[in-house]
Amino acid sequence: MASPMEDDDTIGLSHIWSDSRSESTTTRRTGAGDSAANGSTVPPLPPIAASIDVDTGRKQAESEGSSDEDASYMGSHNRSESMVPLRRIRSSQEALLDEGSDMDVITGWLYNGPLQRAKYEDFSTIDWIHDSTRWRHSAASARRQGGGGRGSSRVSGLVEAAKPWVVLAAVGFTMGLLATCISVATQWLIDIKSGHCRTGFYLNRRFCCWNADDICMDWESWSEWLHVRWAWADWLLQYVVFMATGVVFAGASTYLVTEYAPYAAGQGIAEIKTIMSGFMMRKFLGARTLCIKCVGVALSVASGLSLGKEGTMVHIACCCCNVYTRLFGSLRANEVRRRELLSAASAAGISVAFGAPIAGVLFSLEQVSYYFTAKTMWRSLFCAAAAAVTLKFFNPFRTGKLVPFQVTYDRTWDLFELWFFLLIGVISGVVGTLQNRLALYLMEFRQRSALKTFARGEVVVTALATAAISYLSVYLRADAVTLVSNLFTECSAQLDDAGLCSADDRASNAAALLVTSAVRVVLTSVACGLAVPVGMFLPSMATGASIGRAIGMLIQTLHEHHPAWRLFSACKPDVPCITPGVYALVGAASMLSSTTRMTVTVVVIMFELTDALIYVLPIMLAVTVSKAVADAAAKDGYFEAIINLHGYPFLAADQEYVLRGTSDELMIRASEMAVLCAAGETLDSVAALLARCSYSGFPIVKSTRTMALVGYISRADVLLVVGRAQVSSMYTGRSLCCLGRANGNQEPPVVDFRPWIDFTPITIFHASDLNLVAEMFRQLGVRYVLAAHQGMLLGIITKKDIVRAVRMQSRNNFGKPTLSGLFSDCLARTLPASLTSSGEGHYVGRRDPNESPHLQLQLQNQQTSRHLQQIRGLGILSPD
């Protein structure tokens, strides 16, 4: 077989050239169906797909392989035109390997073609441009085949187009089924803490007393079951059982999470936002995480901890979508398409959590999705509607409602009440900010203290303390769903739960609700960071509803005692004027908005809960005021703060910032990077570089003396090619590696890295404005950019550098040392890079954080100037 390593000329962008071992070359158009049968094919030289973003390391002190070739080797070709849709036949390669063939099927253009990438590593970032381009070429090829009039081609095209809809329909049905099971199981576990049903142990209290009017004779408390006759012993026994069952449920939940699926802990929305932006977190959306999350959230909510199951539904929905996409190879292999489906699936989580499919679509748009297209909106609506219809079909509460706290109001509101709604918004904004800050402080304290090594014990102790405190108050003892349902409901002759409608006890009940809300803020803040599946949507709503209901009850008392006040002139005599349930609804919406920073989604959730358009205006005003107050106190919401706390590489699409400085202040200089030479590298030298360095990517230069940029290759791709070459009998440690233009003096067999090299990396001028660089990362989804000057590599900027700069600027600490920064630098100098890099490599030779930004800029400019002078001395660059 002819070797594809001959030294030929570069041709058109979307052409490949054949090796006929002659002086002339013949070009031809190439499609997805081209094969090796037409002759040995060699790919287009430099221009191919975009590559992977990763941190790079210190350059090794070696000067072999230097050459004086022209530094203008790189072309300025268009990225989108350089993609050649060739078929990947990895199964054929493996078959040939099993047969012991010595053919060059491990690497090379002939059998691989362009657009090749290794499997993304954990805690790395996907290549949006590469995956999007590969999918577009696959779709275009399928359309061309389907347009030929062949029935089989058209059927295959329809099948491929139907795969996303099949996945979303399955997600919707599964979410409706899982939501039903979780709701029923959770309510049974909650009720079993107080007693059991005589007619059926599997029945919760609602179903056991379904036909009872006032007194339910079928439900038996544990005191009655044990025939306890004294009142104090009855209360003490119920108290002990309440605490014991809470500890058991919480202990079982944290054991399942810590032992089998650590990613099931928490709410998961912050991580999903990061995954949507292109970050890889393997096993976070796996089947094991899905199972443990479903079981653990029921146990956690039933334990009495101040948390809810609604927020975890988003994580569960995304897990279902990820599991179903594995059934289809075309969806499994493309991370961009998978993220489009994850965005649509997240809507199903909110749909079943609040019975609000439209709000689910808005949640996907407002909170989760990084790129939200019209196609994704239509898919989100379909998935959310499928989930809501399934939940309605199963009817878990036997009331026709999708959630227990759906209510309806038959009264309107008056204009003077707007002032009280705005007051609720202000109070909720302040309380929500305090809750977020307290929760984040406790999370950060856990990371710094020894509590992180005693996760299970912390959960058990917290559950015991929460149960001991909650049982003393009827408003804390009730689960969040029951409490919110009671607070939202209007007073009537048939309903008077916990004395909320008693005129004589109205003042004491209002005071109790305010105390309850303060205690719940603390309990929710503590529970948010525990090693159990938690959700903070419903606890936040319960806090806001308690505040709103208390204010509504106070205003109702004022109206009853002073109906002649001018403030109440709009009220009609002998007609109830104030509805405390509406104030609870406004308070719940305001509190949820202040903690999550959601606006339109919260308003639509409340609208779908009440089914009354008349209350949209007061909810909108209260939510707007609440978010404004929260934004004035802290810019980030709960999920964004979690992302910053864990250091995830996330750039918010709606974040506004103005970075000061230029790219040469932030970039890692070429003298601090490990590079590969386009010529002179052997299989042993590349393997040695991988063994010495744990960095995740390597720029490719023509020589270490000229630093003329050739391309970029990720560590995962290098490992893939080297691993395949080492298991082949046709390569030895001295086999040369082709990392750029093929040389005529290279004797086969040559290890061809070119299918995995990004020959057209995105490059910027080394003194570009940082805001321009940040927008490239945010809008294009790139993971790295190379700083160059007239084809010479000067440095690299990765997404992590931009994220770090944005976070420093958000703290008004650009270039100044911080306690966490000094601690991170200390770890970086004392621990191996693999332990401090979160899988994406670690830079060595960082600038001293104690230096002022002006001194840093001066030193970098001096080094860059000296580097440019050295290059000009070689006669490569012109003096200008």
Side-chain angles (χ1 to χ4, degrees), residues 463-526:
L464 179 61
T466 302
I469 296 173
S470 300
Y471 194 81
L472 304 178
S473 172
V474 65
Y475 300 122
L476 289 173
R477 188 190 317 163
D479 61 285
V481 172
T482 303
L483 178 63
V484 170
S485 178
N486 292 336
L487 294 176
F488 282 1
T489 306
E490 289 188 42
C491 291
S492 62
Q494 293 78 20
L495 180 64
D496 190 11
D497 290 336
L500 287 174
C501 300
S502 174
D504 298 333
D505 300 331
R506 190 175 293 159
S508 59
N509 286 333
L513 286 175
L514 293 177
V515 174
T516 297
S517 62
V519 176
R520 191 175 293 276
V521 166
V522 178
L523 296 179
T524 303
S525 301
V526 174

Side-chain angles (χ1 to χ4, degrees), residues 93-282:
Q93 297 171 3
E94 296 170 357
L96 289 172
L97 277 177
D98 295 338
E99 295 173 3
S101 173
D102 287 339
M103 295 178 62
D104 183 14
V105 297
I106 309 300
T107 62
W109 289 93
L110 177 59
Y111 288 91
N112 291 291
L115 299 178
Q116 303 300 309
R117 289 295 178 271
K119 185 178 180 180
Y120 292 117
E121 296 180 341
D122 200 10
F123 300 110
S124 64
T125 310
I126 70 169
D127 191 339
W128 285 91
I129 298 177
H130 169 264
D131 284 3
S132 299
T133 304
R134 186 172 63 178
W135 162 241
R136 285 197 298 269
H137 279 282
S138 299
S141 176
R143 285 194 297 269
R144 286 195 300 269
Q145 294 177 2
R150 298 179 180 178
S152 60
S153 299
R154 291 185 177 181
V155 171
S156 62
L158 292 176
V159 170
E160 185 65 29
K163 289 179 181 179
W165 299 101
V166 172
V167 169
L168 295 178
V171 170
F173 174 79
T174 305
M175 283 306 301
L177 178 62
L178 289 178
T180 300
C181 296
I182 292 173
S183 298
V184 173
T186 301
Q187 193 59 49
W188 182 84
L189 290 173
I190 292 174
D191 292 339
I192 206 68
K193 296 164 65 176
S194 61
H196 68 97
C197 185
R198 290 190 178 99
T199 58
F201 189 78
Y202 58 91
L203 296 175
N204 60 33
R205 186 164 187 170
R206 176 191 293 269
F207 293 154
C208 182
C209 305
W210 188 259
N211 296 322
D213 295 330
D214 297 329
I215 301 176
C216 180
M217 303 302 297
D218 293 333
W219 185 259
E220 184 180 33
S221 67
W222 297 116
S223 302
E224 296 173 349
W225 184 64
L226 294 175
H227 305 288
V228 176
R229 300 179 180 180
W230 299 280
W232 63 271
D234 180 11
W235 184 89
L236 182 61
L237 177 62
Q238 292 296 127
Y239 190 22
V240 172
V241 172
F242 186 84
M243 292 190 295
T245 52
V247 169
V248 171
F249 294 159
S253 178
T254 187
Y255 175 79
L256 292 175
V257 169
T258 55
E259 186 70 20
Y260 299 105
Y263 280 142
Q267 192 161 231
I269 295 180
E271 288 77 10
I272 290 175
K273 286 170 65 72
T274 307
I275 291 174
M276 294 298 184
S277 69
F279 195 59
M280 292 294 298
M281 295 182 68
R282 300 198 178 278

Side-chain angles (χ1 to χ4, degrees), residues 759-793:
F759 283 106
T760 56
I762 294 181
T763 58
I764 59 172
F765 182 59
H766 67 90
S768 300
D769 184 75
L770 278 182
N771 295 285
L772 173 63
V773 179
E775 285 301 311
M776 294 176 65
F777 279 96
R778 188 168 65 172
Q779 301 295 338
L780 299 180
V782 298
R783 301 180 297 172
Y784 72 94
V785 293
L786 299 176
H789 182 72
Q790 297 186 5
M792 180 200 56
L793 177 65

